[in-house]
Amino acid sequence: MLFRSRPAAIAEGLFWQTLSSLTTQSPGFGKRRYPGKLGKLRGMVHLMDSTVIELSANCMDWASHRRRKAAAKAHVRLNFESLLPGCVIVDTARQADNLRARELTAGLNSGEIAVFDRGYNDHEHFADLSARGVVWVTRCKEGTVWDLLERRAVKGRILEDNVICLTNGTHCRRIEAVVEVDGKEQKMAFLTNQMEWSAETIVELYRARWEIELFFKQLKQTLKLCDFVSYSANGIRWQRWMALLVHLIMRYLAWVSQWGHSFVRLFALLRGVIWRNID
């Protein structure tokens, strides 16, 4: 009854207030140097993706999005430097990712970098980001129509580096490269509006998007987001926001205490002693 009567906005507000308080109290919380070739970048990098949690269609018909299936979805914008959320949208899985793209990038400023999966592809949104001075990097969707404007020299694992024009008139680069995925090499095509950086840097930027996948994995595996205490939409939102809050506090405790082991080990330790009476 509690999850039905109290709006999840309370939990959402608590999370953002706690994040603001911790980063104000400890300005260095979570910050690190960009790894590898990305160490030379000066702009703030934002990673964007969504995670889906399957629900029971029999008792959660509000979340139905396919025949006999129901799911909730969280769209997240993660700061690559601190690996802390900058924007979170919790909703059903009914809407396509590209319909949420503008909300995720609403707070980005000129010079900042947005890296997102191809599910967020929207040519009009690309044009809007370019007009605002935001650098964007994504994968090229199959079937994308474009006109070739210029071919650039390539080397190594870069197979193509072309300047193209999309159907709405947006100019960008299409880079095709050989990348390693799960130990196997395969071809991937990327799109970006950044014309000056090397093709290797663009590929490395997209590779950095893997960090948000690890973020989702931590939430699902350690905080049991697949077990629910409520069938209502409001209750599911409560549980998601509280999971994010617990994750944030544990990240802060690990940073303050200079914890040198994995997040999973810290969570197991805390779960084992949380009810123990220690003098």
Side-chain angles (χ1 to χ4, degrees):
M1 186 65 183
L2 173 65
F3 289 124
R4 291 185 179 181
S5 59
R6 294 189 178 180
I10 297 175
E12 181 180 358
L14 179 60
F15 172 80
W16 292 119
Q17 288 178 15
T18 303
L19 177 58
S20 176
S21 176
L22 294 180
T23 52
T24 301
Q25 178 179 316
S26 304
F29 172 36
K31 291 187 177 180
R32 57 177 189 147
R33 291 177 59 89
Y34 291 151
K37 296 179 180 180
L38 304 182
K40 298 179 180 180
L41 297 181
R42 294 294 176 263
M44 188 178 295
V45 179
H46 303 272
L47 313 176
M48 287 172 280
D49 205 350
S50 65
T51 182
V52 175
I53 295 180
E54 297 296 329
L55 305 175
S56 173
N58 293 334
C59 51
M60 300 182 185
D61 56 348
W62 54 267
S64 60
H65 70 113
R66 293 178 184 174
R67 186 180 182 184
R68 297 181 180 178
K69 288 191 176 182
K73 182 181 286 187
H75 303 267
V76 177
R77 187 181 81 219
L78 200 68
N79 186 316
F80 182 51
E81 182 183 24
S82 64
L83 299 181
L84 295 172
C87 178
V88 180
I89 303 169
V90 180
D91 204 349
T92 66
R94 192 175 296 116
Q95 286 189 325
D97 286 350
N98 61 351
L99 299 178
R100 293 294 193 178
R102 293 181 183 274
E103 294 177 69
L104 282 178
T105 60
L108 302 190
N109 300 314
S110 177
E112 295 186 344
I113 305 163
V115 184
F116 42 85
D117 192 36
R118 58 186 174 184
Y120 290 96
N121 278 16
D122 180 343
H123 293 182
E124 296 301 327
H125 185 221
F126 292 165
D128 178 57
L129 290 175
S130 298
R132 288 163 48 192
V134 176
V135 176
W136 50 268
V137 177
T138 186
R139 278 186 65 188
C140 183
K141 292 183 70 172
E142 294 182 7
T144 300
V145 179
W146 45 272
D147 293 323
L148 178 64
L149 301 180
E150 176 190 347
R151 293 185 185 274
R152 296 186 174 186
V154 296
K155 61 179 180 179
R157 290 175 168 264
I158 306 301
L159 304 179
E160 293 184 16
D161 185 1
N162 303 324
V163 178
I164 65 172
C165 179
L166 300 175
T167 52
N168 67 335
T170 300
H171 288 199
C172 60
R173 286 169 74 187
R174 183 183 182 276
I175 297 169
E176 189 171 317
V178 177
V179 297
E180 185 175 317
V181 180
D182 297 329
K184 298 180 180 179
E185 293 187 342
Q186 65 181 60
K187 295 180 182 179
M188 282 190 181
F190 307 92
L191 294 178
T192 181
N193 63 338
Q194 172 49 251
M195 301 293 183
E196 304 300 327
W197 297 345
S198 69
E200 290 83 0
T201 299
I202 301 302
V203 174
E204 197 65 27
L205 261 174
Y206 190 83
R207 191 195 305 274
R209 200 190 61 84
W210 180 247
E211 291 287 354
I212 198 170
E213 300 289 353
L214 297 178
F215 176 81
F216 290 147
K217 186 177 180 180
Q218 283 185 355
L219 288 178
K220 287 184 175 182
Q221 290 188 349
T222 58
L223 300 177
K224 305 299 181 183
L225 275 185
C226 294
D227 298 329
F228 299 99
V229 296
S230 172
Y231 291 150
S232 69
N234 192 63
I236 298 300
R237 289 188 174 92
W238 258 101
Q239 192 165 347
R240 287 223 169 179
W241 283 111
M242 295 311 293
L244 286 168
L245 180 61
V246 171
H247 181 269
L248 171 64
I249 293 173
M250 290 182 62
R251 281 276 312 279
Y252 185 73
L253 291 174
W255 181 78
V256 169
S257 61
Q258 298 182 352
W259 177 259
H261 303 285
S262 69
F263 179 86
V264 175
R265 188 172 180 181
L266 173 62
F267 184 83
L269 177 65
L270 182 61
R271 185 171 55 183
V273 303
I274 194 169
W275 300 115
R276 185 176 299 173
N277 186 13
I278 300 177
D279 188 350

